[in-house]
Amino acid sequence: MARRILVTSGKGGVGKTTICVNLGKALTKLNKKVLLIDLDFGLNNLDVVMGVENKIVYDIFDIMEGKCRVEQAIIEDFANDNLFILPTNRTYCPVINSKDISEIVNLVDDKYDYILIDCPAGMDDGFARGVNICNEAIVVVTPHISSVRDADKIIVKLEEFGVSLTGLVINRARGDLILQGDMLGINTIVDYLALPLYGILPEDDEVGIQILVGGNLNKLSQSFTAYKMLARRIAYGESEIFDCTARYKGFIGGIRQKLRKHV
Amino acid sequence: MKNELQIVGERRLKNVLTIDKNNNPDKIKGVILSEIINVLNNYMNVTKGDIDFDVAINDKGGYTLKLFVDVRHLKLANHIL
Ligand SMILES: Nc1ncnc2c1ncn2[C@@H]1O[C@H](COP(=O)(O)OP(=O)(O)OP(=O)(O)O)[C@@H](O)[C@H]1O
Ligand SMILES: [Mg+2]
């Protein structure tokens, strides 16, 4: 049976879709077979971030409408063996409930090690559809007050829905600002949200470049390393977490920090 | 090292979390208290008046539950088993 993990957040635009794709890719490097499912109906972007938007023939609604089998709708990634996506591709979406989705996911559950669910921000229908088919969740936050506040509410909801294992990922952390004291500290966020910290992902231009071309992260980038650690943490429970402040420490780091501030 | 901005930010974060949690505490308090009384009555005879119960927001933006119960006797073991 696959581990089914809901990637969720209170606030929109904090990086859920990006994290689904890159965590999925990092897990395949650990020889895990991963399926990504887009439950952000109508505002789907998982296909674009993965760079497979031109490969979509059928989507999750076609399965529901009996136009195809599940296997026909699932697309394999170009660049990564063992990474698959079940897309959604409609502007106007028919009504769909958790039971329908659950039946589809059950059909393929035993073929994957991980199923990562990209769900819309907030606590509306999309969240409910996702949370009903998952027993694990990742709550994504950025180091901003509004994002942490909304995450606090989502965590309560996850508990209400009986999600048994939830971890926190802090995205877009800027080591230079944290060191200067110009951004909420990591410990503050973890203390307030009281969830195990799964990972820290740095603010990184590389992420934007990756989405532009629809490929993989540069192996020399900070993000690549951070995602590798995140995947190992989730798959093996390893404790190493990316330190976004490291490159701004020491003599060279100090210069880098000053430069970043003035550019 | 924390500077003025970070301290202000943390204070504001704590503030919003506290406001959110303070929105509905009385309702929650009532529900929890009645459940606690049910559980305690398996072991002692207590009514609402014997219990000092409070749900307060703590400085981490979470809840602290305070419960004081004055009771003369515990039920004997054979009543429980
Ligand atoms: N670590 C990062 N560094 C720089 N940019 C990032 C990072 N993470 C995400 N982004 C950018 O932030 C934007 C929003 O990301 P994404 O679409 O993944 O968020 P989302 O939570 O899925 O949004 P929505 O709630 O709308 O579904 C994208 O343009 C993405 O490139
Ligand atoms: Mg998204």
Side-chain angles (χ1 to χ4, degrees):
Chain A
M1 244 184 78
R3 277 175 70 181
R4 299 179 184 188
I5 307 179
L6 183 74
V7 180
T8 181
S9 71
K11 196 175 177 318
V14 294
K16 295 176 295 297
T17 305
T18 311
I19 289 172
C20 269
V21 170
N22 287 317
L23 173 60
K25 288 180 177 179
L27 284 167
T28 64
K29 301 278 181 299
L30 304 177
N31 289 324
K32 306 291 182 193
K33 197 171 170 190
V34 182
L35 175 67
L36 311 178
I37 302 183
D38 196 345
L39 288 192
D40 200 348
F41 301 152
L43 296 172
N44 53 295
N45 274 318
L46 197 61
D47 52 339
V48 175
V49 177
M50 229 168 113
V52 297
E53 67 276 13
N54 291 329
K55 279 180 92 178
I56 300 176
V57 179
Y58 297 113
D59 77 350
I60 198 165
F61 293 103
D62 293 311
I63 306 171
M64 219 106 49
E65 290 161 0
K67 291 184 187 153
C68 70
R69 286 178 290 108
V70 189
E71 292 78 5
Q72 288 175 294
I74 291 175
I75 303 169
E76 186 167 7
D77 187 40
F78 290 108
N80 299 272
D81 289 343
N82 280 335
L83 183 63
F84 299 82
I85 169 177
L86 176 53
T88 156
N89 194 24
R90 302 264 175 113
T91 310
Y92 300 104
C93 305
V95 177
I96 178 170
N97 59 36
S98 308
K99 199 169 147 276
D100 297 328
I101 296 173
S102 176
E103 279 167 11
I104 292 174
V105 176
N106 286 341
L107 288 174
V108 291
D109 185 83
D110 59 344
K111 296 190 178 67
Y112 299 92
D113 298 306
Y114 287 85
I115 296 179
L116 305 181
I117 312 264
D118 184 19
C119 89
M123 303 187 270
D124 296 340
D125 295 354
F127 172 79
R129 279 191 288 262
V131 79
N132 272 316
I133 55 167
C134 293
N135 40 23
E136 289 187 52
I138 290 174
V139 174
V140 182
V141 287
T142 56
H144 304 109
I145 294 177
S146 47
S147 165
V148 178
R149 176 197 204 176
D150 293 352
D152 194 46
K153 294 174 187 160
I154 277 290
I155 292 166
V156 174
K157 280 279 161 201
L158 289 169
E159 283 171 11
E160 279 174 19
F161 275 92
V163 175
S164 56
L165 188 58
T166 304
L168 185 67
V169 171
I170 302 176
N171 188 29
R172 308 195 78 153
R174 279 199 45 189
D176 55 332
L177 295 186
I178 290 174
L179 280 179
Q180 282 161 219
D182 290 342
M183 187 170 249
L184 285 176
I186 301 296
N187 290 342
T188 305
I189 300 171
V190 176
D191 277 357
Y192 279 122
L193 295 182
L195 284 181
L197 180 62
Y198 279 180
I200 297 172
L201 303 167
E203 171 77 31
D204 190 352
D205 292 347
E206 173 62 25
V207 173
I209 297 168
Q210 178 205 14
I211 294 172
L212 198 62
V213 297
N216 288 343
L217 286 169
N218 182 335
K219 285 189 177 154
L220 298 175
S221 67
Q222 297 218 327
S223 291
F224 185 85
T225 309
Y227 274 106
K228 197 158 102 181
M229 289 178 184
L230 176 62
R232 296 188 73 86
R233 168 103 182 155
I234 289 170
Y236 307 134
E238 286 184 6
S239 59
E240 199 179 11
I241 283 176
F242 183 77
D243 178 4
C244 61
T245 61
R247 71 192 304 263
Y248 298 104
K249 286 177 180 159
F251 180 68
I252 305 273
I255 296 172
R256 197 177 273 139
Q257 187 176 351
K258 284 207 174 64
L259 282 175
R260 177 135 199 191
K261 198 172 183 180
H262 294 294
V263 187
Chain B
M1 195 185 57
K2 287 188 184 178
N3 73 11
E4 198 70 5
L5 291 180
Q6 201 167 35
I7 292 165
V8 172
E10 289 177 5
R11 198 181 316 127
R12 293 188 61 224
L13 174 62
K14 181 178 155 188
N15 194 33
V16 289
L17 294 181
T18 308
I19 291 168
D20 291 345
K21 289 193 168 134
N22 252 333
N23 274 344
N24 216 347
D26 283 340
K27 240 191 199 159
I28 300 168
K29 222 167 101 174
V31 175
I32 300 175
L33 180 59
S34 67
E35 298 245 5
I36 287 175
I37 292 175
N38 280 342
V39 173
L40 289 180
N41 269 300
N42 291 325
Y43 306 96
M44 60 198 83
N45 287 326
V46 281
T47 60
K48 233 177 171 174
D50 303 318
I51 297 176
D52 181 4
F53 177 64
D54 196 20
V55 180
I57 312 290
N58 63 31
D59 58 6
K60 292 222 184 280
Y63 297 102
T64 301
L65 272 62
K66 292 183 191 146
L67 177 70
F68 295 100
V69 187
D70 276 328
V71 65
R72 271 189 94 75
H73 302 290
L74 293 180
K75 288 182 183 174
L76 291 175
N78 56 358
H79 285 108
I80 296 168
L81 299 174

